[in-house]
Amino acid sequence: AVPLEGEYEPSPAQWVREQVELYESSGGTQGTTLWDTGLPVVIVTMRGAKSGRIRKVPLMRVEHEGRYAAVASKGGFPHHPVWYFNLKANPRVDLQDGPERQGMIAREVTGDERAQWWRRAVAAYPPYAEYQEKTSRVIPVFVLEPE
Ligand SMILES: C[C@H](OP(=O)(O)OC[C@@H](O)[C@@H](O)[C@@H](O)Cn1c2nc(=O)[nH]c(=O)c-2cc2ccc(O)cc21)C(=O)N[C@@H](CCC(=O)N[C@@H](CCC(=O)O)C(=O)O)C(=O)O
């Protein structure tokens, strides 16, 4: 799979930018967990919906039989994270899980399929359940499937 090409635009959020830099510069051996929780994180490289630039978004690792969920929780804030619109516009992404990097296609899921992946997400990262309780926004879930 040809990795996404283009000009990388780092996140304006320093803690996010730094996690991406440590994760990538260490070949996926460092910066691979959320702070000291020990819970695993993946990096999703995507193309900006408006800028066309390369964006890199760390997300909690939710994996099942080679497919991953991307949960647009943003801590339960009232609005979707901006990257939600990137995946809707440009579903071809690169996912880095530790040292492994592969091309995936993102697809927003609803109904029973979303419920199944939501259970997996909460099992991997329990705070997702609290985030959903604190907002009337239905937190979107994408499934990333190998292209
Ligand atoms: C601050 C904003 O970020 P955001 O896309 O809203 O995403 C917010 C967060 O979800 C994002 O920072 C996540 O990485 C935070 N985050 C998680 N966020 C989650 O939503 N879920 C998670 O499971 C999660 C885990 C996680 C683990 C580690 C870590 O370091 C961060 C983690 C941002 O980057 N804004 C940019 C624009 C970004 C962008 O993509 N612009 C598009 C335009 C998009 C459009 O408007 O159409 C473009 O380039 O074209 C800017 O203001 O310049």
Side-chain angles (χ1 to χ4, degrees), residues 26-48:
S26 68
T29 61
Q30 291 175 39
T32 58
T33 60
L34 179 67
W35 309 124
D36 53 1
T37 65
L39 295 175
V41 165
V42 295
I43 306 286
V44 181
T45 297
M46 59 185 72
R47 188 172 300 287

Side-chain angles (χ1 to χ4, degrees), residues 12 15-16 19 34 41 48-51 55 57-60 71-74 81-83 85-86 128:
W15 63 285
V16 171
Q19 175 141 32
L34 179 67
V41 165
K50 291 178 182 149
S51 70
R55 303 283 186 171
V57 179
L59 296 172
M60 297 319 294
V71 178
S73 52
K74 197 177 174 175
V82 174
W83 62 262
F85 304 99
N86 297 341
Y128 280 141

Side-chain angles (χ1 to χ4, degrees), residues 23 32 39-42 59-64 68-69 95 97-98 120-121 124-125 128:
Y23 203 119
T32 58
L39 295 175
V41 165
V42 295
L59 296 172
M60 297 319 294
R61 181 184 186 276
V62 179
E63 183 273 344
H64 182 74
Y68 293 76
L95 177 129
D97 181 1
R120 291 172 182 150
Y125 185 60
Y128 280 141

